[in-house]
């Protein structure tokens, strides 16, 4: 059966943006046609880096109409989920590896009013999600070990995408880490819908042009899919 995947979207990840000019950086990709912004939350425990918290999400919420996709790379996410949704997150993803009770955490996100995603690290098999696929609104597969932007794409993720797509025909699949114009088509052909890109968008001479180019490559890859 051919999976029904009507669209593919590139999600600029602001981790690679200039935080002193965050409003302008977001406005540039919004004007270029982005539908969602990816926001990385790191706590220095679950991952070896610290990024931002609910006050920054709240400011971003005031600055843009874009859907806010908040990726929690933190321990004990249940404790912070209400604050991120209150701040304006439209969807929240949590790591399977950080949740002792993933089913309950996904339900908490939904009860609080956001779309709920489950995230897997590169070493975690997709089979571990089998019993929450009916509950999750989307799944995010990490294609680098989380914590930093600008890392190399881990090629085995492509096979994980294929395996997950075989488990569910229409679940949105997001991919995050090391995405460039050279590998984005492969991720789309394997079954990804939402492509997160940080360095490839913001660490360039122009975020808007970089976004348009990657979005076009991703759409073309979807169009030629058999
Ligand atoms: C990594 C983050 C990613 C990061 C991706 O832990 O989850 O969202 O921003 O950055 P690039 O696209 O530079 O790999
Ligand atoms: Zn991320």
């Amino acid at each position: 059966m051919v999976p029904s995947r009507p669209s593919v979207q590139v999600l600029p990840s602001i981790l690679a943006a200039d935080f002193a000019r965050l409003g302008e950086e977001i406005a540039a990709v919004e004007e270029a046609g982005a539908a969602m912004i990816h926001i990385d939350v790191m706590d220095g425990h679950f991952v070896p880096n610290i990024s931002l918290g609910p006050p920054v999400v709240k400011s971003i919420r005031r600055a843009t109409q874009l859907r806010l996709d908040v990726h929690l790379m933190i321990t004990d996410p249940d404790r912070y989920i209400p604050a991120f949704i209150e701040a304006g997150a439209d969807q929240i993803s949590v790591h399977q590896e950080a949740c002792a009770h993933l089913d309950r955490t996904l339900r908490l996100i939904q009860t609080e009013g956001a779309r709920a995603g489950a995230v897997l690290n590169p070493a975690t098999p997709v089979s571990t999600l089998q019993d929450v696929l009916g509950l999750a609104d989307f799944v995010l597969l990490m294609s680098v070990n989380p914590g930093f932007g600008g890392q190399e794409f881990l090629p085995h993720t492509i096979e994980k995408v294929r395996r997950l797509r075989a488990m569910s025909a229409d679940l949105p699949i997001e991919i995050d880490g090391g995405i460039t114009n050279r590998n984005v088509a492969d991720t789309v052909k394997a079954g990804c819908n939402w492509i997160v890109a940080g360095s490839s968008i913001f660490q360039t001479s122009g975020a808007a042009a970089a976004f348009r180019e990657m979005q076009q490559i991703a759409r073309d890859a979807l169009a030629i899919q058999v």
Side-chain angles (χ1 to χ4, degrees), residues 27-40:
V29 291
E30 184 167 9
E31 255 182 73
M36 291 194 264
I37 286 287
H38 183 81
I39 302 175
D40 288 307

Side-chain angles (χ1 to χ4, degrees), residues 8 16 25 33 44-45 54 56 67-68 72 82 88 93 102 108 121 149 152 158 171 180-181 183 185 189 195 204:
V8 61
E25 297 262 61
H45 293 274
V56 177
R67 193 168 187 88
L68 303 185
L72 295 185
S93 57
L102 180 60
L108 171 66
N121 277 334
E152 280 288 306
I158 294 290
L171 181 81
T180 66
N181 286 346
N183 58 29
K189 287 179 197 157
I195 318 287
T204 63

Side-chain angles (χ1 to χ4, degrees), residues 45-67:
H45 293 274
F46 181 67
V47 290
N49 198 2
I50 297 175
S51 58
L52 53 86
V56 177
V57 174
K58 195 171 176 185
S59 295
I60 295 172
R61 179 71 293 160
R62 283 198 294 259
T64 182
Q65 299 295 314
L66 294 182
R67 193 168 187 88

Side-chain angles (χ1 to χ4, degrees), residues 13-16 38-42 47 71 73 95 140 142-153 175-180 196-201 203:
S13 170
I14 60 160
L15 190 66
H38 183 81
I39 302 175
D40 288 307
V41 177
M42 304 176 178
V47 290
H71 174 195
M73 287 162 275
H95 276 256
L140 166 53
M142 291 306 300
S143 39
V144 297
N145 287 290
F148 302 94
Q151 301 182 77
E152 280 288 306
F153 181 82
I175 192 163
D176 182 10
I179 303 293
T180 66
V196 176
S199 312
S200 298
I201 302 293
Q203 301 286 309

